[in-house]
Every structure is written in C-alpha cells, then in structure tokens.
Amino acid sequence: MSETCVNNACSKDACKVKFFYFLMALAGLVLILFPVGIANVIFGYIMGDSPCTLCWGQRQAMIFIGVMAFFIVRYGLKGKYLAMLLIMTAFGFYQSFAQFGMHAHRDLDQGFSLQVFGIHTYFWAEVVFFAVVFLLGVFFFFAPKLSAFDKEMNGESVRKWCKFSFSAVLISTIIVASNVVQAFISTGIPPYTGQGDPVRFSLNPKFIIWSTDGWNGKFNGFSVLGKRDVKAPDYAFAPNEAKLGITFSNDSNNAPVAIDEALNVSKEQKIDFAKPLNTLAFINNEFVASSKFEVFFFDKDFKLTSDFEIDPYFSATIDPIVGIIPYMQDKYMLIGSNKSLLRFGKNENADESLQWADFVRGYDKFEGQGKGLGRGRLDTVRAKFHHIQSLASDGKYFYTASVPNNKDKKSFVISKFSLSDRVLSGEFTPQMLDNKLKESRSLGELYVTALAYQDGLLYALSKNYNTILVIEPKDEVVIRTLSFPANITNARSLFFDEDKKLNILSYQNGENLLFTLSK
C-alpha cells in the first residue's frame, strides 16, 4: 500500500490520473457516508425511519454507484465499470422519479418519509443522482487523456491502495454492512419485498413485518404506462368499444337502473352535414357543434354560418372536443376528453398574428387569446384516470361526467368546477333513491356522452342502455330515470331547445340525426 494518493514528484499527466482516482474515491465515500449512512444510522436506528420498497431501491443504487467508484479506483478506469455506474444511476433516477411522482401533486407538506430542509428524502435522491451525473461529467472534463490511465497501471491488473482510498473502502464497507442488517430486520429475505407503507423501525420482533404484498398485481396486465394505460374513449368519428372492452347496448331493459319513464320520438330530423358531429348545443339562439378538433356554428335551419379548427397541440394539449358551453356574456368554453379546455369568443376583427397560436383555421374571426380567454386544464381527484365525454353549466358551475374504460368499468364520477376560476369544487357519485340500482350493478356501466342542465336538474345521457339519469346536483341524488327508444343507436348530445323540449343528437349509419323527445 502506497503512502499517499497523490505524489508531488509525478509527471503532469500522472498527477492528473492520481488526482482523478483520489476524487473518485472521495466521491464513492461521500455518496455512501452521507446519503446512505445518514439514512441508515440517523434516520433509521436513531429516528426509527424504515425505508419502503422504492426507498431501498434508491439506497441500493447509491451503494452500487459508490462500489463502482471503488472498482475504478482499485482496478483502473474501464468502460464496463463506467457503464455500470451510469446504469445504476439511471436505475436510481427511475426509482426516485417513480416515488416522487406518487406524491408530487399532493398539498403542502403532504407526502411520505422524513423531511430534510423541508424536502422529503425521495426528492433528495433526485438531487443525489443528478449530482452523480454532473460530477462525473466534471471529472472527465478535466481528466487526462485515456492513454495516461493505461500508463499509470504499468501493466498491473490492480492498483495499489493508498491510505485514503483504503480508509474510504473500509468505512463504506461498515456502512453497507449496517444497511444489510437494517434491511434484514425490516424487510427480510426473498421472497419478502419490503413494505409499501412501512411502520417505524424496531428491533422488537413483535413489531417487525416481513411482507410479500409487493408482488401483488406485478404480473397482471403489465404496461409501461401503468394506471395511465387507458384507451381513447368512444367518439362519433372514432368508435372504440373493442379496445375499451365495452359492448354497447340500446336496450334500456338491461340498464343497471330501473326505468321510471320511457320517452318517445316526436320528431326526427336529418342534419345535412358531412362530418360526424360529436357534440351539439343550442347557445344564444344558434347551434354550436363539434367534430374532433373543429367547431361549427349553424343557424336554426342548420346552415353553416362560421367555423374554426383548433390547434390541439398548443399548450395545453386538447383531445377531441366533447362539449361546448356558454361562458361569460358572449363567450364560449370547449373541452376535450382529457379535461383540457379553451375559452374563446367570436371577433370579426381578430388579430390574426395573436390568434394563430390557438387556431389552425378561423384565427381571423375567432379569438382564444385575450382577457378572460385562453386554455387551461382541469384537475380532478376521483376521475383522474378517466376521460370525459360531456359538459354542462348552470351559470355558476360547470359539470363533467366520467366514462368507463379498459381499466375501470365500475366508477362513475360527476365533477363540479367553478366557472370563475375553473377549480374543482366537488366530486360525487350520485346516489340512487328507492333502490333503483339493480343488484350487483353499478352506474359505471353507463356511458355518459352528454350532460344538460335545466331547471336546477342535471340530465346525464348514456348511449349505453339508452338511459338518462335526472340528477339533483345539490343533494347529489338521482331523482328520476328515463329511457329513450332503441332506434337511437349512437346518442352523442343532449340539449333543451327554446320550448324546453329534450333533443338528442345521434350519429348513426353515416348520418347526423336529431331526435326531439316527448313523454
């Protein structure tokens, strides 16, 4: 073992090599001594903090990175050691990103684990892994040429330890061994995986938990998207029942709810328009319709008066339009199935250069930029992993309804937002009165493609089972259930006309059909 890590008598390149190895040993020691050591000794043994499964993954990655640094110090700079160091860093980044992602959207001071300077430890792991990549880049930026490393080895397969590097390895070994002890006590041996929400660390066998819950669901329907592997909803222009795993039915007798009243068709009208309409509303004495990313304004005879097409990829990205409501006095708000929205208005003298950002077509007659206008995103809680297909407003609040998907066919959530700031004001699954929900059935079986608000009540139109729920939003209850004829096979929109008659738009057999219903 040599006496010093850096010899002042060495050549310039040789000194750079030795200094590089000194820094690598120092980095390995600091990484294991502080993040890993503090987490193990102070947080673990003294404060009783016990790592969860992801925490152990991050801690292991730090240990492996430190060990690879010592491998480089001992066996010289080799590509495989550097490659493994980067792989372990990427693994650590993944673990910390995964854990941070679970808690990033929580309220102030919520989260998991202890805080250091007001930040939870899983975010500090992000800092550590970033520092590894950054400092590695700095080391190699100032490192000598590679031939100097080969020369420094002098044909030997291993390098001699210096006092510092040997001490660094010894201290790190003790810390790693201590982590092994803590891991064995709190986590156990395979197949035990540790706890997702661990209890505090204890040496008392009575309070030690060895768990295999981490294996649950790991091999069922694996997807890199996880919870977000939700297929696109069913649109008029793009049916998707196969991927959603839903078989739509027009028989209201098979609905999950008992029907109070059957509606009949009093009038049927074909809308002479080539594109499949996904939404239709009657606003300010004119019809407003949409198809994918296009919006159309019609007069009462369904003659096209104006139209535009949004740029769906301008921030915030808007999925195909599923609803349009009045906004402010003379403006409108449209929403996509991903709950992103655009507040827009008509303006025959629109500033084309300003409005070009929002519109692919129509930026000379419509505006999405300006006071009270613009894009936004809605945040939900219970409906976070569900698309929507509907939108309605009572003048103070607006409402959306979730639709089932390939991941969840039982949940049904009405979300309520303030029109003034578009912030979530409430979410609920409406309760059924008088046992109208059939046994072993759920409202999640309905596929609500439209909402309408009339006389204090919310009407939810389901294309599945041709059913309408009449909801009292203040009490969050379904007060009445309606059915509509089976010959309406693809109901997309529901609205009340000037005479308060209920109308349903259906795109079927390649035609846009408007049905007026009566009792």
Side-chain angles (χ1 to χ4, degrees):
M1 183 186 301
S2 61
E3 292 298 317
T4 60
C5 289
V6 180
N7 188 343
N8 293 329
C10 60
S11 66
K12 182 178 180 180
D13 279 350
C15 284
K16 281 188 174 182
V17 170
K18 291 184 180 295
F19 188 63
F20 175 88
Y21 285 128
F22 167 75
L23 291 177
M24 193 63 69
L26 178 63
L29 174 63
V30 169
L31 182 60
I32 295 179
L33 179 62
F34 289 104
V36 178
I38 290 175
N40 172 233
V41 179
I42 298 178
F43 293 168
Y45 295 137
I46 297 176
M47 300 180 68
D49 184 56
S50 189
C52 69
T53 307
L54 286 172
C55 295
W56 274 122
Q58 295 160 51
R59 197 182 296 188
Q60 289 169 357
M62 294 178 191
I63 292 173
F64 293 148
I65 292 169
V67 170
M68 282 301 104
F70 293 138
F71 265 64
I72 291 174
V73 172
R74 182 59 168 165
Y75 299 105
L77 182 62
K78 291 181 172 60
K80 59 184 178 181
Y81 299 147
L82 181 60
M84 186 56 65
L85 190 151
L86 292 173
I87 290 172
M88 289 299 106
T89 304
F91 177 79
F93 262 128
Y94 166 76
Q95 296 280 355
S96 53
F97 268 130
Q99 189 166 11
F100 177 68
M102 295 178 184
H103 304 283
H105 205 260
R106 299 191 186 279
D107 282 9
L108 183 66
D109 287 340
Q110 294 179 349
F112 173 77
S113 79
L114 298 172
Q115 296 186 47
V116 180
F117 301 119
I119 300 175
H120 290 282
T121 53
Y122 46 78
F123 184 80
W124 279 111
E126 294 284 331
V127 176
V128 170
F129 293 122
F130 172 81
V132 169
V133 176
F134 177 79
L135 292 176
L136 192 64
V138 172
F139 288 178
F140 276 93
F141 184 84
F142 293 102
K145 53 189 176 183
L146 293 177
S147 58
F149 288 96
D150 292 334
K151 185 176 180 181
E152 195 267 350
M153 290 295 295
N154 197 29
E156 300 291 335
S157 59
V158 297
R159 298 181 67 255
K160 292 182 179 180
W161 292 120
C162 68
K163 289 182 179 179
F164 175 76
S165 60
F166 182 80
S167 300
V169 171
L170 181 61
I171 294 171
S172 299
T173 301
I174 294 172
I175 294 174
V176 172
S178 178
N179 273 271
V180 171
V181 172
Q182 184 186 15
F184 175 77
I185 294 172
S186 66
T187 301
I189 58 177
Y192 299 106
T193 61
Q195 303 168 65
D197 295 304
V199 299
R200 61 185 179 276
F201 181 78
S202 174
L203 295 175
N204 187 337
K206 182 179 180 180
F207 304 117
I208 293 175
I209 299 174
W210 287 9
S211 173
T212 58
D213 290 346
W215 295 110
N216 294 343
K218 284 293 184 291
F219 305 104
N220 297 332
F222 173 78
S223 170
V224 293
L225 296 178
K227 291 181 180 180
R228 296 186 179 274
D229 187 18
V230 175
K231 304 306 178 185
D234 184 87
Y235 301 106
F237 54 84
N240 203 30
E241 58 182 321
K243 290 185 178 180
L244 291 171
I246 299 173
T247 301
F248 292 120
S249 169
N250 299 119
D251 186 355
S252 59
N253 292 318
N254 294 328
V257 297
I259 302 299
D260 293 325
E261 184 178 1
L263 301 179
N264 300 305
V265 174
S266 60
K267 180 182 177 182
E268 179 179 338
Q269 177 183 359
K270 176 184 175 182
I271 301 175
D272 190 15
F273 193 72
K275 296 185 178 182
L277 296 180
N278 202 60
T279 72
L280 181 65
F282 189 69
I283 304 173
N284 298 331
N285 293 315
E286 62 181 344
F287 290 103
V288 187
S290 72
S291 180
K292 201 170 185 179
F293 302 118
E294 298 177 278
V295 173
F296 310 96
F297 288 81
F298 300 97
D299 63 18
K300 292 183 179 180
D301 296 322
F302 284 102
K303 292 182 179 179
L304 184 66
T305 57
S306 59
D307 66 291
F308 66 80
E309 181 179 356
I310 65 169
D311 179 356
Y313 304 114
F314 179 61
S315 182
T317 298
I318 298 176
D319 278 358
I321 300 166
V322 296
I324 302 174
I325 58 173
Y327 176 73
M328 298 170 63
Q329 292 183 345
D330 57 350
K331 303 294 190 296
Y332 306 85
M333 186 172 77
L334 63 79
I335 196 167
S337 59
N338 62 340
K339 311 185 196 85
S340 291
L341 57 88
L342 170 65
R343 292 161 289 150
F344 69 94
K346 293 181 178 182
N347 186 349
E348 292 294 332
N349 300 308
D351 183 342
E352 296 184 28
S353 60
L354 178 63
Q355 307 307 332
W356 187 81
D358 277 301
F359 303 102
V360 173
R361 185 182 74 252
Y363 44 81
D364 58 336
K365 293 181 176 61
F366 292 88
E367 53 186 4
Q369 303 284 322
K371 185 177 181 180
L373 305 178
R375 301 197 181 199
R377 304 174 180 90
L378 302 180
D379 291 325
T380 59
V381 179
R382 295 180 177 90
K384 184 173 291 292
F385 295 103
H386 288 263
H387 291 112
I388 61 170
Q389 288 276 278
S390 54
L391 180 67
S393 171
D394 62 9
K396 183 178 180 181
Y397 299 97
F398 63 94
Y399 304 84
T400 65
S402 66
V403 289
N405 54 51
N406 54 300
K407 291 285 189 177
D408 184 354
K409 297 180 177 62
K410 293 184 178 181
S411 300
F412 177 65
V413 180
I414 300 290
S415 301
K416 175 183 176 182
F417 304 86
S418 170
L419 265 174
S420 61
D421 58 13
R422 284 83 55 202
V423 173
L424 184 68
S425 299
E427 287 181 306
F428 63 92
T429 297
Q431 299 299 307
M432 300 293 297
L433 297 179
D434 303 324
N435 298 318
K436 290 180 182 177
L437 185 64
K438 296 177 181 178
E439 187 177 355
S440 302
R441 305 292 295 274
S442 75
L443 292 179
E445 298 175 45
L446 301 175
Y447 201 88
V448 175
T449 53
L451 288 173
Y453 188 87
Q454 183 71 24
D455 297 331
L457 299 175
L458 198 61
Y459 290 74
L461 170 76
S462 172
K463 66 168 285 184
N464 203 18
Y465 302 116
N466 286 33
T467 299
I468 299 173
L469 302 181
V470 183
I471 303 168
E472 213 299 327
K474 291 183 179 180
D475 295 330
E476 302 178 358
V477 296
V478 176
I479 62 171
R480 196 160 74 253
T481 55
L482 310 173
S483 68
F484 53 93
N487 63 321
I488 303 177
T489 59
N490 189 18
R492 308 307 313 189
S493 284
L494 171 72
F495 66 90
F496 289 87
D497 59 23
E498 296 173 299
D499 300 321
K500 293 188 177 182
K501 291 182 179 179
L502 192 150
N503 294 263
I504 293 178
L505 169 73
S506 178
Y507 181 73
Q508 55 193 66
N509 301 320
E511 296 179 329
N512 295 297
L513 301 179
L514 183 61
F515 298 89
T516 302
L517 303 183
S518 60
K519 297 180 181 179

